[in-house]
Amino acid sequence: MTATLTHTPAEQALINALEGATGWRAKLREATRNAGLPTRRHELWKWSDLRRAANDVTTAGTLTVAGMEQLASVADGDRITLSVNAVDGACAGEAALVVPAGANVTLVERLAGEADALGNWHLTIKVGAGARLDRVVIADHHAKAVFVGSAEIALEDGAHLNQTIIDTGAKLSRNETHVLHPGQGATVELGGAYILAAGRHADSTTVVHHAGPGCQTKQLVKGAVASGGHGVFQGKFIVDRIAQQTDARMTHRALMLGEKAEIDAKPELEIYADDVQCAHGNALGTLDETALFYMRQRGLPQAKARALLIESYLAEPLDMVGDEGLRDELKAILRRHLGALT
Amino acid sequence: MLKINDLKCKVETQDGEEKAILKGLSLDVPAGEVHAIMGPNGSGKSTLSYVLTGRDGYEVTGGDMHFAGEDLAELEPEERAALGLYLSFQYPVEIPGVPTITFLKEALNAQRATRGEEEVSAPEFMKLIREKAKQLNVSMDMLKRAVNVGFSGGEKKRMEILQALVLEPRFLILDETDSGLDIDALKVVSDGVNALRSPERGMLVITHYQRLLDHIAPDVVHVMANGRIVKSGGPELAHELEAEGYDKYVGEAA
């Protein structure tokens, strides 16, 4: 028996916006039609109630992607920049990237949702044998945007993924990454930094599925959340029985900058092999008061001292970005949002 | 220059309790002089340094403290720093991720901005810090590292004095600067401190042991016990303390 679901205006708008769409967008449409948008009752969305966040969305909107033509033929040394914009209401877009065997490719995604948009963006990525993908995602949304970005990344043997996501939050901002890790010399580095002012939410959800022997994975996500901000970290490593000698480390650290900051973290290790090195560390703290006093005693005003401490705290995952110019840009974005914070 | 009058202060401890530490301390350090404060553990020596520099959790409950004519209790820590007050910490803090050079340049320029002075340019600053680093045997390599991260105790104390050489304060409070130093480090640090002596500068040297005072000769020695200054005298007072200990003063203060 199929119960008829009453859709919210946002859900109806998204279904309408995706009328006639194929591929992943069709799946999104049907999932929305059958079950609505996820709410906090869904385990994987319990801290990111999408239906609730999209309450103010009542119309279909537009998602535009500048730079898609770069995906047509990808070659060694390419640097691809995609600018994804979501405006006016519910919308979705998708793309596929294939990194040829042995090639070194950089992908920069700039995600910008406007106020009252409900944007959904999905990438399917294949990284060929021995190839390397450096992926940088910059989620820089309007405070009132709702945006979900996701990627499924499958690596071939000996491939390398180095991914960094910086998120300055939104009404709801979620970045979801699923990685299929074959081991056999392949390596995965996942970095993330989030900085959230009051009223902003950011959710980093990742799953790395280790499916072959000798996997190497390192994940470092750091955040700074002001009073009234909400950070979410959901990290999962699955290690199949045949993924022996996997070395996978997950670290999440966050600073609460005020008493009413909220940070929810759920690190998960699901391990079926018995000869592995897997670890997950999760630590939440506040700014070091002694360090702050030391800095003020040297003449730094309180706001500047706090900013310096937060900036240096968040630099760690950003230093994992290979490209120096990109790294500096990411630091500049964080610095700009820091100003709004302290 | 530094005038403390019947100062009383209480400290908030870890478990939220309040404890009176300074119980009517009076002290007068004129410009150009070096005064030493010696006392047993628990006498309130570090508390004095924290209440003078404005650390959170240290509350003045009576008396007053003036520096260069200004009432310190009215000023934020960074304002007291800009006024020229400098504390060499007993336990210098590590600040991971903030390179020492960056930190010092920001600090110097922040003080100058507060005073309405022009900022130091990057090349000017590099010249300044190279010069001062040489004086204290501090390598440029060390300066590129994060503040105090991975430094030995002696290196941290040397860095405290290097920072003072760069910031050129009007008044230095040295809180147990000699703790953790071997003879060589003690000499290097003392030379740095002595290089800062001037008719316009005052210093308060807080120490438990007399040894430091062989290298940094004080003009006046004060004995502190139970939150107050209980005796003041010339440098020979330090030798007396070394020979006889603090017992007779602790008894007196109680």
Side-chain angles (χ1 to χ4, degrees):
Chain A
M1 172 196 141
T2 323
T4 319
L5 190 64
T6 311
H7 293 121
T8 64
E11 288 163 353
Q12 196 56 60
L14 185 58
I15 293 165
N16 293 347
L18 298 180
E19 193 62 53
T22 56
W24 174 81
R25 280 174 300 151
K27 287 196 209 157
L28 177 62
R29 181 189 64 226
E30 294 315 308
T32 307
R33 199 197 306 277
N34 295 330
L37 292 173
T39 71
R40 67 183 188 280
R41 294 224 177 87
H42 297 81
E43 177 62 25
L44 294 176
W45 295 79
K46 68 184 184 198
W47 294 312
S48 304
D49 191 324
L50 186 54
R51 184 188 294 167
R52 182 141 169 247
N55 254 342
D56 294 334
V57 174
T58 53
T59 57
T62 315
L63 188 124
T64 53
V65 186
M68 286 280 246
E69 64 285 351
Q70 299 163 79
L71 297 172
S73 67
V74 176
D76 184 29
D78 275 358
R79 167 127 154 194
I80 301 167
T81 303
L82 299 176
S83 296
V84 182
N85 273 75
V87 300
D88 293 334
C91 50
E94 63 184 285
L97 165 66
V98 176
V99 180
N104 256 19
V105 170
T106 300
L107 170 67
V108 179
E109 283 159 73
R110 297 172 190 281
L111 311 177
E114 296 301 324
D116 302 324
L118 167 57
N120 298 271
W121 164 246
H122 185 79
L123 263 179
T124 310
I125 302 176
K126 282 192 176 21
V127 186
R132 183 187 168 98
L133 172 64
D134 286 273
R135 179 182 183 222
V136 173
V137 178
I138 302 170
D140 195 0
H141 304 295
H142 187 277
K144 297 260 183 301
V146 175
F147 198 101
V148 178
S150 55
E152 266 173 76
I153 308 176
L155 304 183
E156 301 278 318
D157 291 356
H160 304 282
L161 170 67
N162 181 312
Q163 174 176 290
T164 309
I165 300 183
I166 73 157
D167 197 344
T168 55
K171 189 172 176 198
L172 184 151
S173 167
R174 174 161 162 139
N175 285 290
E176 206 174 313
T177 313
H178 293 249
V179 182
L180 181 56
H181 195 335
Q184 319 274 40
T187 67
V188 171
E189 277 183 293
L190 300 175
Y194 56 92
I195 183 163
L196 306 175
R200 293 213 183 220
H201 158 287
D203 172 337
S204 160
T205 292
T206 58
V207 180
V208 182
H209 184 171
H210 303 86
C215 290
Q216 297 250 47
T217 299
K218 178 184 165 198
Q219 178 174 30
L220 175 63
V221 176
K222 277 180 142 180
V225 182
S227 257
H230 184 192
V232 176
F233 173 78
Q234 300 183 126
K236 185 170 185 174
F237 286 172
I238 305 170
V239 182
D240 287 352
R241 181 161 288 144
I242 60 158
Q244 300 288 15
Q245 257 101 61
T246 285
D247 185 325
R249 320 279 174 150
M250 179 195 301
T251 307
H252 171 243
R253 298 212 193 297
L255 283 177
M256 292 177 58
L257 301 177
E259 273 184 21
K260 296 219 169 25
E262 183 178 341
I263 301 171
D264 294 294
K266 183 174 66 173
E268 283 181 271
L269 299 179
E270 205 179 293
I271 306 172
Y272 299 97
D274 56 15
D275 179 14
V276 300
Q277 302 246 45
C278 294
H280 67 74
N282 184 48
L284 308 182
T286 55
L287 286 174
D288 183 345
E289 290 298 326
T290 313
L292 276 176
F293 173 61
Y294 185 84
M295 295 166 89
R296 292 178 77 183
Q297 203 299 298
R298 294 300 189 255
L300 289 168
Q302 180 164 46
K304 180 80 200 203
R306 284 171 63 94
L308 251 177
L309 280 185
I310 298 167
E311 213 182 293
S312 64
Y313 181 82
L314 293 177
E316 203 188 339
L318 300 188
D319 286 335
M320 284 162 65
V321 174
D323 183 318
E324 217 182 295
L326 258 180
R327 203 188 309 152
D328 289 342
E329 191 193 336
L330 297 183
K331 290 187 180 177
I333 293 172
L334 283 185
R335 203 171 295 134
R336 187 177 14 110
H337 282 262
L338 246 182
L341 263 202
T342 42
Chain B
M1 199 177 203
L2 180 68
K3 284 184 169 43
I4 306 172
N5 184 37
D6 198 34
L7 190 66
K8 299 184 177 78
C9 106
K10 66 180 179 188
V11 178
E12 237 182 67
T13 59
Q14 293 277 37
D15 38 8
E17 297 257 316
E18 277 177 358
K19 196 169 166 208
I21 305 280
L22 297 182
K23 300 176 181 167
L25 188 143
S26 296
L27 182 64
D28 197 331
V29 185
E33 288 188 19
V34 174
H35 286 218
I37 295 192
M38 301 180 70
N41 291 332
S43 53
K45 306 193 297 296
S46 281
T47 297
L48 175 60
S49 71
Y50 292 146
V51 80
L52 285 173
T53 49
R55 186 168 179 167
D56 266 348
Y58 293 77
E59 199 188 314
V60 173
T61 52
D64 57 81
M65 42 185 185
H66 283 79
F67 172 63
E70 304 241 7
D71 184 355
L72 284 177
E74 304 284 303
L75 303 174
E76 299 287 351
E78 56 268 29
E79 290 172 316
R80 303 184 200 195
L83 210 49
L85 197 57
Y86 181 91
L87 171 62
S88 169
F89 284 65
Q90 184 178 6
Y91 303 109
V93 180
E94 287 188 7
I95 310 181
V98 183
T100 303
I101 296 191
T102 311
F103 173 63
L104 268 179
K105 181 156 149 281
E106 296 281 341
L108 180 59
N109 282 332
Q111 286 197 26
R112 286 180 161 225
T114 308
R115 293 194 288 263
E117 292 166 12
E118 233 185 86
E119 290 197 355
V120 167
S121 74
E124 280 173 335
F125 182 78
M126 285 312 291
K127 187 158 164 254
L128 173 69
I129 198 166
R130 254 188 254 271
E131 190 190 305
K132 307 295 183 182
K134 244 167 89 180
Q135 255 184 277
L136 280 168
N137 270 357
V138 171
S139 67
M140 283 313 283
D141 217 48
M142 251 178 92
L143 292 176
K144 294 197 182 124
R145 284 151 58 179
V147 181
N148 291 326
V149 173
F151 291 3
S152 69
E155 284 169 341
K156 286 184 187 172
K157 292 295 167 74
R158 258 192 290 150
M159 288 306 277
E160 291 296 284
I161 304 306
L162 172 63
Q163 292 183 43
L165 290 178
V166 170
L167 296 171
E168 294 180 304
R170 291 162 75 186
F171 195 96
L172 279 88
I173 304 168
L174 304 175
D175 190 359
E176 310 233 14
T177 295
D178 54 330
S179 74
L181 293 187
D182 62 26
I183 290 294
D184 296 316
L186 184 57
K187 183 120 206 341
V188 170
V189 166
S190 302
D191 286 348
V193 174
N194 285 327
L196 283 164
R197 279 187 194 251
S198 102
E200 281 90 47
R201 195 170 270 135
M203 294 195 204
L204 193 58
V205 180
I206 298 172
T207 182
H208 188 78
Y209 298 105
Q210 186 279 332
R211 180 181 72 148
L212 177 65
L213 305 179
D214 283 341
H215 298 268
I216 303 175
D219 299 295
V220 180
V221 175
H222 306 274
V223 184
M224 186 166 173
N226 204 15
R228 297 169 58 239
I229 305 277
V230 294
K231 181 150 175 106
S232 303
E236 65 287 349
L237 183 51
H239 293 283
E240 182 200 301
L241 285 168
E242 182 167 37
E244 299 172 20
Y246 292 103
D247 281 352
K248 87 176 186 215
Y249 296 104
V250 175
E252 241 179 66

Coordinates of all heavy atoms in Angstrom, one line a residue, chain A residues 255-287:
Chain A
L255 N 36.1 24.3 18.0 CA 36.1 25.3 19.1 C 34.7 25.9 19.3 O 34.1 26.4 18.3 CB 37.0 26.5 18.7 CG 38.5 26.3 18.8 CD1 39.2 27.6 18.3 CD2 39.0 26.0 20.2
M256 N 34.3 26.0 20.5 CA 33.1 26.7 20.8 C 33.5 28.1 21.2 O 34.2 28.3 22.2 CB 32.3 26.0 22.0 CG 31.8 24.6 21.6 SD 31.0 23.8 22.9 CE 29.8 24.9 23.4
L257 N 33.0 29.1 20.5 CA 33.5 30.4 20.7 C 32.5 31.2 21.7 O 32.7 32.3 22.0 CB 33.6 31.2 19.4 CG 34.6 30.6 18.4 CD1 34.5 31.4 17.1 CD2 36.0 30.6 19.0
G258 N 31.4 30.5 22.0 CA 30.5 31.2 22.9 C 29.7 30.1 23.6 O 29.6 28.9 23.1
E259 N 29.0 30.4 24.6 CA 28.2 29.4 25.4 C 27.1 28.8 24.6 O 26.8 27.7 24.9 CB 27.6 30.1 26.7 CG 28.6 30.1 27.8 CD 28.0 30.6 29.1 OE1 26.8 30.7 29.2 OE2 28.8 31.0 29.9
K260 N 26.5 29.5 23.7 CA 25.4 28.9 23.0 C 25.8 28.4 21.6 O 25.0 28.2 20.7 CB 24.3 30.0 22.8 CG 23.7 30.4 24.1 CD 22.2 30.6 24.1 CE 21.5 30.8 25.4 NZ 22.3 31.4 26.5
A261 N 27.1 28.0 21.4 CA 27.5 27.4 20.2 C 27.0 25.9 20.3 O 27.1 25.3 21.4 CB 29.0 27.4 20.0
E262 N 26.6 25.3 19.2 CA 26.3 23.9 19.2 C 27.1 23.1 18.2 O 27.2 23.5 17.0 CB 24.8 23.7 18.9 CG 24.4 22.2 19.0 CD 22.9 22.0 18.7 OE1 22.1 23.0 18.8 OE2 22.5 20.8 18.4
I263 N 27.7 22.1 18.7 CA 28.5 21.2 17.8 C 28.1 19.8 18.0 O 28.1 19.3 19.1 CB 30.0 21.4 18.0 CG1 30.4 22.9 17.8 CG2 30.8 20.5 17.1 CD1 31.8 23.2 18.2
D264 N 27.6 19.1 16.9 CA 27.3 17.7 17.1 C 28.2 16.9 16.2 O 28.4 17.2 15.0 CB 25.8 17.5 16.6 CG 24.8 18.2 17.5 OD1 24.7 17.8 18.6 OD2 24.2 19.1 17.0
A265 N 28.8 15.8 16.8 CA 29.7 15.0 16.0 C 29.4 13.5 16.2 O 29.1 13.1 17.3 CB 31.1 15.3 16.5
K266 N 29.5 12.8 15.1 CA 29.3 11.4 15.2 C 30.4 10.7 14.3 O 30.2 10.5 13.1 CB 27.9 11.1 14.7 CG 27.6 9.6 14.8 CD 26.2 9.3 14.4 CE 25.9 9.5 12.9 NZ 24.5 9.1 12.5
P267 N 31.5 10.4 14.9 CA 32.5 9.6 14.2 C 32.2 8.1 14.2 O 31.8 7.6 15.3 CB 33.8 9.9 14.9 CG 33.4 10.4 16.2 CD 32.0 10.7 16.3
E268 N 32.3 7.4 13.1 CA 32.0 6.0 13.1 C 33.0 5.2 12.4 O 33.5 5.5 11.3 CB 30.7 5.8 12.4 CG 29.4 6.1 13.1 CD 28.2 5.8 12.2 OE1 27.8 6.7 11.4 OE2 27.7 4.6 12.3
L269 N 33.4 4.1 13.0 CA 34.3 3.1 12.4 C 33.5 1.8 12.3 O 33.1 1.3 13.3 CB 35.6 2.9 13.2 CG 36.5 4.1 13.5 CD1 37.7 3.7 14.3 CD2 37.0 4.7 12.1
E270 N 33.4 1.3 11.1 CA 32.8 0.0 10.9 C 33.8 -1.0 10.3 O 34.1 -0.9 9.1 CB 31.6 0.1 10.0 CG 30.5 -0.9 10.2 CD 29.3 -0.6 9.2 OE1 28.6 0.4 9.4 OE2 29.1 -1.4 8.3
I271 N 34.4 -1.8 11.1 CA 35.6 -2.5 10.7 C 35.4 -4.0 10.7 O 35.0 -4.6 11.7 CB 36.8 -2.2 11.6 CG1 37.0 -0.7 11.7 CG2 38.1 -2.9 11.2 CD1 38.0 -0.3 12.8
Y272 N 35.6 -4.6 9.5 CA 35.4 -6.1 9.4 C 36.7 -6.8 9.2 O 36.8 -8.0 9.4 CB 34.4 -6.4 8.2 CG 33.1 -5.8 8.5 CD1 32.7 -4.6 7.9 CD2 32.2 -6.4 9.3 CE1 31.5 -4.0 8.1 CE2 30.9 -5.8 9.5 CZ 30.6 -4.6 8.9 OH 29.4 -4.0 9.2
A273 N 37.8 -6.1 8.9 CA 39.1 -6.7 8.8 C 39.7 -6.8 10.2 O 39.3 -6.1 11.1 CB 40.0 -5.9 7.8
D274 N 40.8 -7.6 10.3 CA 41.4 -7.7 11.7 C 42.8 -7.2 11.7 O 43.5 -7.2 12.8 CB 41.3 -9.1 12.3 CG 41.9 -10.2 11.4 OD1 42.7 -9.8 10.4 OD2 41.6 -11.3 11.6
D275 N 43.4 -6.8 10.6 CA 44.8 -6.4 10.6 C 44.8 -4.9 10.0 O 45.2 -4.7 8.9 CB 45.7 -7.3 9.8 CG 47.1 -6.9 9.7 OD1 47.5 -6.0 10.6 OD2 47.9 -7.4 8.9
V276 N 44.4 -4.0 10.8 CA 44.2 -2.6 10.4 C 44.7 -1.7 11.5 O 44.8 -2.0 12.6 CB 42.8 -2.3 10.0 CG1 42.3 -3.2 8.9 CG2 41.9 -2.4 11.2
Q277 N 44.9 -0.4 11.0 CA 45.2 0.7 12.0 C 44.1 1.7 11.7 O 44.2 2.4 10.7 CB 46.5 1.3 11.7 CG 47.7 0.4 11.8 CD 48.6 0.7 13.0 OE1 48.1 1.0 14.1 NE2 49.9 0.8 12.7
C278 N 43.1 1.8 12.6 CA 42.1 2.8 12.4 C 41.9 3.5 13.7 O 41.9 3.0 14.8 CB 40.7 2.1 12.0 SG 40.8 1.2 10.4
A279 N 41.7 4.8 13.5 CA 41.5 5.6 14.7 C 40.5 6.8 14.4 O 40.5 7.3 13.3 CB 42.8 6.2 15.2
H280 N 39.8 7.2 15.4 CA 39.0 8.4 15.3 C 39.2 9.2 16.5 O 39.1 8.7 17.6 CB 37.6 8.1 14.9 CG 36.7 7.5 16.0 ND1 36.3 8.1 17.1 CD2 36.3 6.2 16.1 CE1 35.6 7.3 17.9 NE2 35.5 6.2 17.3
G281 N 39.4 10.5 16.3 CA 39.6 11.4 17.4 C 38.6 12.5 17.3 O 38.4 13.0 16.2
N282 N 37.9 12.9 18.3 CA 36.9 14.0 18.3 C 37.1 14.8 19.5 O 37.0 14.3 20.6 CB 35.5 13.4 18.2 CG 34.5 14.4 18.1 OD1 34.6 15.3 17.2 ND2 33.4 14.3 18.9
A283 N 37.4 16.1 19.4 CA 37.6 16.9 20.6 C 37.0 18.3 20.4 O 37.1 18.9 19.3 CB 39.1 17.1 20.8
L284 N 36.2 18.7 21.4 CA 35.6 20.0 21.3 C 36.2 20.8 22.5 O 36.3 20.3 23.6 CB 34.1 19.9 21.5 CG 33.4 18.9 20.6 CD1 31.9 18.9 20.8 CD2 33.6 19.3 19.1
G285 N 36.5 22.1 22.2 CA 37.0 22.9 23.3 C 36.7 24.3 23.1 O 35.9 24.7 22.3
T286 N 37.3 25.1 23.9 CA 37.2 26.6 23.8 C 38.6 27.2 23.7 O 39.6 26.5 23.8 CB 36.5 27.2 25.1 OG1 37.3 26.7 26.2 CG2 35.1 26.7 25.3
L287 N 38.6 28.5 23.4 CA 39.9 29.2 23.2 C 40.6 29.2 24.5 O 40.1 29.3 25.6 CB 39.6 30.6 22.8 CG 39.2 30.8 21.3 CD1 38.8 32.3 21.1 CD2 40.3 30.4 20.3

